[in-house]
Amino acid sequence: MEILFWLLPIPLFFLFGLRLPLLTEIAILALFALSLDLILGYAGIVSLGHAAFFGLGAYTAGLLAVHGWGEPITGLLAAGAVATAAGFVSSFLVLRGSDLTRLMVTLAISMMLLEAANRLAWLTGGADGLYGVTMWPIFGIFEFDLYGHTAYWYSVIVLFISFVALRAIVNSPFGLALRGVKGNPLRMRAIGAPVNRHLVKAFTIGAGFAGIAGGLLAQATQFVSLDVLAFHRSAEALLVLVIGGSGAVYGGILGAAAFRVLQEWLSGITPQYWQFWLGAGLIVLVLFARGGLIGLWRALVRRLHRTRDEEAR
Amino acid sequence: MSVILETNGLSRRFGGLRAVGNVTFALQDGARQALIGPNGAGKTTYINLLTGVVPPSEGRITFLGEDITRLSPEARVRRGIVRTFQINQLFDEMTPLEAVALAVLERDGKARAMWRPLASHHEALDEAAGLLASLGLADAMEVPTAEISYGRRRLLEICVALACRPRLLLLDEPAAGVPEHERNDIMNTVANLPRTVSVLLIEHDMDLVFRFAERIAVLVGGELLVEGTPDEVANDIRVKEAYLGESLDAPAA
Amino acid sequence: MCRVLTVLLDGIAYGMLLFILACGLSVTLGLMNFVNLAHGAFAMAGGYVTVVLVNGYGVPFLLCLPIAFLVAAAIGLLLERTLYRRLYGANHLDQVLFSIGLVFMAMAGVDYFMGARQQLITLPDFLRGQFHLAEGASIGVYRLFIIVICAVLAVVLQLILSRTRFGSRLRAAVDDGEVARGLGINVGTVFAMTFAVGSGLAGLGGALGIEVLGLDPSFPIRFMIYFLIVVVVGGTSSIAGPFLASLILGIGDVAGKYYIPGFGSFMIYTMMVVILVLRPHGLFATRGTS
Ligand SMILES: Nc1ncnc2c1ncn2[C@@H]1O[C@H](COP(=O)(O)OP(=O)(O)O)[C@@H](O)[C@H]1O
Ligand SMILES: [Mg+2]
């Protein structure tokens, strides 16, 4: 099942050869959502400003390439490293308060960065965006081509590697501890768990992967705009998790695919009003299908098992 | 016998209310001590003070000769002060096996491990399974916590605490609300604890208290009224007054 | 010196307006523990109602203000009874997502019917012009009007809360919903009424603010952070907290944009982060932290 899932990019490549940029975007959005899922779905830290780290990663990778270092892999690692450092520092601000304070502080941090990127136009290109991002071939072999073939495979592979790493984390004792912190922090303290240290780590790691996602976007599209730091980008990641299901590693990927495909389709019918249906869908999901696609899938599997059990009897 | 825990003039005020007032008290190593008192007497607050969830307004706490008054809750757990809660505090989204394994892993400092899957931490899982089995929870190990009966969830509450390897176990009304037929399981579990674990038991069921305790402390209005053997306490006129006629007689031996 | 006075008065007007806009949010948060990011959408509704009435039907501006209040309150009441109440027990994340959903729908809806452009209205003559204070300092008549209206409203709100039966019920319900229920107070009705009034006030604020804050479909998101700051910094246990927070925010924002233009909004965010980090439970929180 899982192997089949990860082989999907191959037929998709041949079926949708002309829509590759869309598929690339889905992979990047999925990675961004996965990074938020660690923070939100597993550790239970609500964030309205996850784009801060995405944006930092994007500008890091973009600026490196603009200023003469177009090597993709190290650029991506640098993007991740900068975002990780920023995540670590800001985690101490974010983790102090209640849910509401966390929402506010994360939102404020991303707004501050957006404002800063806007002001530092000499560095970031400001509202015009950062042009001149030129990438070297990956491993010196694979050129980023006009059709986006390389960008596609590059993004899919980075997504896969990150996915494997993130899944290892959530399936480890540390992942269990995060579920504990989310489920009952009072009890976690009573068993002597360093609750805050767990949360700092989760936030830092999540920020790092968001940075990689941002770096990936900068490299794949060879462009960075202020948009990478905007509120709607943070909201998008939340939506993806609501659609796909949070606290479940495949949720982010399914959600990202559903989200972008719906977006293409709806804005194809009524260009501006995709937002309207997005809002409506969000309300319906929150009220009636809180588990998202993954939740529906699990309910289905459970029902199948039950009927099979009954037949066996 | 040596003293394991001592509080000196321990007080806690909430606004104008003195929930715990000037409690000076010593617990012997290996003690089987009960702490009783009417509702609102400050028993739970006293435990919150001992575990560091609530800072004291005044006073000092000494554990194994060390002043722990300012120590963080986590550090106290690491020194062996572990509690259960009056209202179940469990992980509803985990199985009992996961919950107990988590406590084991945290105790051993292995809950930071990120790369090996949980399933490969055999020592922790085996220890958790053994602990659950020893409390008669073997068949509930993989059942979602929310689906277990209330009485057995009270047992799980104790099991999670035991996984931390307590030196001093603070039990906050472990049998409260548990139906008659499941009460014995809980009391037997507590009675069978090794003497290396000192126990401070809060309980309203006097049967259980007198069956278990070797010494009883009575808290009224936040203050320590009496401390002594069950006989002394049962015959103390002030205790009888505080309980306003509720029977405190020791069951016929 | 006169500059300082002008900036100060502008800031006060701005802050007062923020207070009227945000006080409903602070009550819903304190009372229902509901994080309503869509609060700005009610303000936007009030603003657009006014624009349509003034520009489309020539209704006098002053008459539009109560209408904006009533329309926003009615929408608030309707949504509270049908949707919001279902999420009172839910976690903050669900509430956030739900209200973001509402914001998106509101923004798209307004965009559809009114277009994305900035809306303008013509104020009546007597609200235009400058009012000259001593030493050559001046303030726009309209800003003075805002200050007066909002000050009156703040006093009225304070009186309602402290003097009326409804106010005491509301405070009882905020302090402890269970106890209030035990006293026979119909908490559901108190919630609905409060939500409606809070939305209405936002609508009124939206109408008053067209001239000062600007009005376009992005209004709910643009001002979301301001409302949240007022609530989080001011706390939810009194009227005075959000009121002071609004004033500080208003004056800080105007002064910041005036004196250090490059860092105007930067300063607001910094201020908020610093306050939240130092006082995670608000600047004026009176309750203990445990
Ligand atoms: N966090 C708190 N804030 C305010 N008052 C509290 C708090 N915790 C306990 N109290 C008060 O302290 C008193 C003692 O409570 P508690 O320790 O729970 O009593 P017991 O466990 O003996 O029934 C009660 O009046 C209770 O209302
Ligand atoms: Mg108690």
Side-chain angles (χ1 to χ4, degrees), chain C residues 79 85 101 107 207 276:
Chain C
L79 287 177
R85 57 183 312 185
M107 287 167 60
L276 284 178

Side-chain angles (χ1 to χ4, degrees), chain A residues 7-300:
Chain A
L7 288 178
L8 264 180
I10 299 173
L12 285 178
F13 176 79
F14 292 106
L15 281 173
F16 299 101
L18 294 176
R19 308 301 306 272
L20 281 187
L22 177 66
L23 294 177
T24 306
E25 263 181 56
I26 290 180
I28 294 169
L29 182 58
L31 178 53
F32 183 41
L34 279 182
S35 73
L36 180 63
D37 200 19
L38 183 70
I39 290 177
L40 178 81
Y42 287 92
I45 307 166
V46 282
S47 165
L48 276 184
H50 202 47
F53 308 112
F54 186 86
L56 271 179
Y59 276 111
T60 304
L63 285 170
L64 272 179
V66 168
H67 294 284
W69 184 255
E71 206 290 309
I73 312 278
T74 45
L76 209 52
L77 291 176
V82 168
T84 304
F88 178 72
V89 172
S90 54
S91 71
F92 294 97
L93 304 180
V94 173
L95 294 174
R96 284 184 56 97
S98 59
D99 274 4
L100 184 63
T101 335
R102 288 174 180 181
L103 285 176
M104 299 284 306
V105 174
T106 47
L107 182 61
I109 290 174
S110 69
M111 298 294 234
M112 276 166 85
L113 283 180
L114 177 61
E115 198 60 32
N118 191 15
R119 299 277 166 214
L120 302 176
W122 55 271
L123 182 69
T124 62
D128 295 334
L130 184 67
Y131 285 93
V133 179
T134 325
M135 301 314 300
W136 301 348
I138 299 170
F139 300 128
I141 303 170
F142 304 102
E143 291 267 4
F144 281 87
D145 54 302
L146 219 54
Y147 309 103
H149 289 183
T150 308
Y152 173 72
W153 289 116
Y154 180 49
S155 305
V156 167
I157 289 167
V158 171
L159 171 64
F160 178 70
I161 294 172
S162 309
F163 172 88
V164 170
L166 281 166
R167 190 173 56 173
I169 291 172
V170 302
N171 285 339
S172 71
F174 177 66
L176 183 66
L178 287 186
R179 281 165 56 202
V181 174
K182 185 187 179 199
N184 194 338
L186 184 62
R187 168 56 90 172
M188 278 306 270
R189 279 196 196 93
I191 62 174
V195 169
N196 230 47
R197 210 176 315 154
H198 285 330
L199 290 176
V200 166
K201 270 190 208 165
F203 196 82
T204 305
I205 298 171
F209 279 100
I212 293 181
L216 202 53
L217 182 73
Q219 296 182 343
T221 58
Q222 315 218 339
F223 177 66
V224 185
S225 70
L226 285 180
D227 202 54
V228 292
L229 286 163
F231 169 73
H232 75 80
R233 194 169 286 274
S234 303
E236 225 168 71
L238 281 171
L239 300 186
V240 165
L241 289 183
V242 178
I243 296 172
S246 63
V249 277
Y250 278 101
I253 300 180
L254 289 179
F259 178 87
R260 286 296 282 125
V261 168
L262 275 175
Q263 184 178 19
E264 283 295 302
W265 179 55
L266 282 175
S267 41
I269 306 175
T270 44
Q272 299 98 315
Y273 311 116
W274 139 249
Q275 199 180 35
F276 182 85
W277 293 111
L278 183 61
L282 196 54
I283 291 172
V284 170
L285 279 171
V286 169
L287 288 177
F288 302 109
R290 198 49 193 89
L293 291 177
I294 284 279
L296 292 178
W297 167 256
R298 283 182 183 155
L300 191 72

Side-chain angles (χ1 to χ4, degrees), chain B residues 66-112:
Chain B
E66 178 193 9
D67 186 338
I68 60 161
T69 318
R70 305 257 160 264
L71 231 48
S72 73
E74 296 100 278
R76 297 184 201 204
V77 176
R78 259 175 272 131
R79 281 168 179 65
I81 305 180
V82 187
R83 69 166 314 168
T84 65
F85 291 87
Q86 183 172 352
I87 297 163
N88 275 338
Q89 297 293 338
L90 297 168
F91 303 110
D92 287 339
E93 318 259 298
M94 288 184 199
T95 65
L97 182 63
E98 285 173 326
V100 177
L102 176 56
V104 169
L105 288 160
E106 287 286 6
R107 178 198 72 203
D108 295 343
K110 286 185 185 152
R112 338 185 187 107

